[in-house]
Structure formats: C-alpha cells, structure tokens
Amino acid sequence: MNYIDLRRDTVTKPSKAMREAMAYADVGDDVFGDDPTVNKLQEKCAELTGKQSALFVPSGCMANQLAIKCHTNPSDEIIVEWDSHIMKYENSSPAFISGVQIMPLKGNRGVMDVEDIKAHIRPDWYHFPKTTLICIENTHNRAGGIIYPLEDIQSVSRLAKSQNIKTHLDGARIFNAVVETGVSLKEYSECVDSISFCFSKGLGAPVGSILCGDKDMIELAHRYRKVLGGGMRQAGIIAAGAIYALDNNIERLRDDHKKALIFAKGISKLDFIEVDLTTVQTNIVIFKTEIDAPHLKIVLEEKGVILTNEGRNKMRAVFHMDVSEEQTNDAVNIFNTILK
Ligand SMILES: Cc1ncc(COP(=O)(O)O)c(C=O)c1O
C-alpha cells in the first residue's frame, strides 16, 4: 500500500536533485579534514549561525551529547526541560558520556519558566553538583512542534551569563521556527553558546546534523566526536545532501506547517478527537482521542494512514515534504470515514 506516512519527519527520502548533488560531490577523507564538501558545509553553518566554527556529525543525538560533553565536567548538573529529547530519548547519555546529572524542569508546552530555572541553579556548596549548562529545545518535539519564544530564550541567556552557566540550543527543527517567526538563525544562535540542528528531518536530507559554537568548543567537540567513533571518511557524499537541503528546502517548511494546520482543523471537527489548535505552530500535530489510540492506529493503518500513538489517548502526526496537500486531505477524509 502507498501509505500516507505521518509517523515522523525523518521518513523523507532524498529527491532526485538532492541525490544528484550527492552523487557528484567532491570528497576526501574527512577524518583528516580533507573533505571539501564537509568543510564547505561546516563553513556555511558557521556563517549562518554567526558562530566561529561548526562540526558535521552523524546525528542530532551526537550533536547534543557533544555539546553537553564540551560544556560540562563529570559530577556537574545540567538543567533540561522535562519532556525534551535529551531527557526522553537519548538513553541517559549525559550520565553515560559526560558523567553529569540532569535536573529536569517541567515547562509549559516545553518552555521553561526562567524563575523556575533560577530557583534550580545550585548554590556553590561542596555538597551540591555545579550547575554548568542549560539546554533548550526549539522547536519542542514532544510539546508538538511548539516554538520557544525568542524573549524566553533571551531571558535564559541573560540568566545563564549572569551565573557563568553555558547554554545549548537543541535546534533539531530550528528552521521550522525560523520560517514561522521570521527570527533569523543568527538571532537564535547569538543567545546560546552552542546550537545544533538536523538536516535529516524537515530539511529532507538522508543523514547528518551540525554542532556550532566557538572555535575552542568545536575543537574539543571534534576530539570527542572521534572518541565516540563519529569520524566519517568520504562524508562529503552526505554533506552534499545537507548543503542541498540548506539551499533548497528551508522555505518549503512553511508548506509542512500549512498541511499540519489543514489536518488539525480537519480532524478537530470530529466527535472523538480533541486538538488544541494553538499548539499547531509548525509541522507536528498532537491530539487526544476518546477512542483507544492503539486500536485507532491499527484501523488507520488498514486504511493507509500511519502515525504514532502515545499511550491510550494521545496521537501524533508529523508533516513533511513526502506528504502532499492532497494526501493530507485524504488523511482527513479517512479519519472522517472511520469516526463518523
Ligand atoms: C528535538 C530533537 N533533538 C534531537 C533529535 C535527535 O536526532 P537524531 O535522530 O538525528 O539523533 C531529535 C530526533 O527526533 C529531536 O526531535
């Protein structure tokens, strides 16, 4: 069956033009710094973020973990949002890789209250771990693609600076926030010591993420990337996909947001579905269902729509370049047919 795949935005396949760019990429051995396409990508990302330097890495998880490793020492504590990717889906890596403890703070739709952060920064006492890093996620995945307001990021930044604490922005989907708000990548980046983003989500590239920061930090991250076995040889092949994505696929993220809203509005009219439309800010739709979600998922799959459920009454649909507006309307019609 030709499924309408709404499970996540990582399911996209590289377009013909992207594949061509990848096939003819100029490559070298990137472990020796010889790959011109990787170097070009890193320079481009440093320029786009206004940071001194950038490092191409295999995944968003590795980018986050390298940032944590670079900004902390073992036995430190880091503040992250309760429902963030670092907290929920990175296998306790901060403990495993960096030997740090997490202080998770519950945000409002992923956005932490700066006073709450302040209250959880540890006083300098030998009984306590040192708070050395605050991580923010924008857009916030589990909150449903919520945009972290720039003013809130700026407040966190001011607080962190005043306490000599580093900041990292997990910007796996930062361009979704950029196109929707008009806030530039530079404006977001200048609030934080490091920022990472993914090419393999809405931007449609097959592999790769980038970590940007100052020169010393990225040199250290380069060393740790090697420790984690993340050095890749002729990585220019995949870096070319990332460059193509940056050049061609940023503005089109708006289309994904449009489709998400069409879908959310369409299903919100149904009796057994509840969607808070104010949460549909980018490409993710989280909705409640009075019908058993795992069961509904199976029925939808039989009709050709695949998405994910969370527990018994919550579902998630993610919009991306490989689902068209027509398929979006089809998905709404399938919901209608099942739930009418
Ligand atoms: C907010 C966020 N950060 C990081 C990641 C990790 O990216 P990767 O799957 O490339 O490791 C994801 C993946 O979905 C994510 O949503």
Side-chain angles (χ1 to χ4, degrees), residues 59-61 64 85 90 137 141 170 172-173 198 200-201 209:
S59 68
C61 287
N64 283 337
H85 197 275
E90 300 193 14
E137 186 174 310
N141 181 350
D170 174 358
R173 296 183 182 77
C198 296
S200 56
K201 300 196 164 64
S209 291

Side-chain angles (χ1 to χ4, degrees), residues 8-10 58-64 84-86 89-90 137-142 170-173 196 198-201 207-209 284 316:
R8 44 190 86 92
D9 49 10
T10 52
S59 68
C61 287
M62 191 185 280
N64 283 337
S84 64
H85 197 275
I86 291 174
Y89 297 126
E90 300 193 14
E137 186 174 310
N138 190 21
T139 62
H140 195 289
N141 181 350
R142 281 180 57 88
D170 174 358
R173 296 183 182 77
S196 53
C198 296
F199 306 110
S200 56
K201 300 196 164 64
V207 191
S209 291
I284 303 176
R316 193 178 104 119

Side-chain angles (χ1 to χ4, degrees), residues 1-18:
M1 193 184 292
N2 199 8
Y3 286 109
I4 301 171
D5 192 345
L6 306 178
R7 288 171 302 165
R8 44 190 86 92
D9 49 10
T10 52
V11 298
T12 56
K13 299 192 179 136
S15 63
K16 189 167 178 284
M18 182 183 278

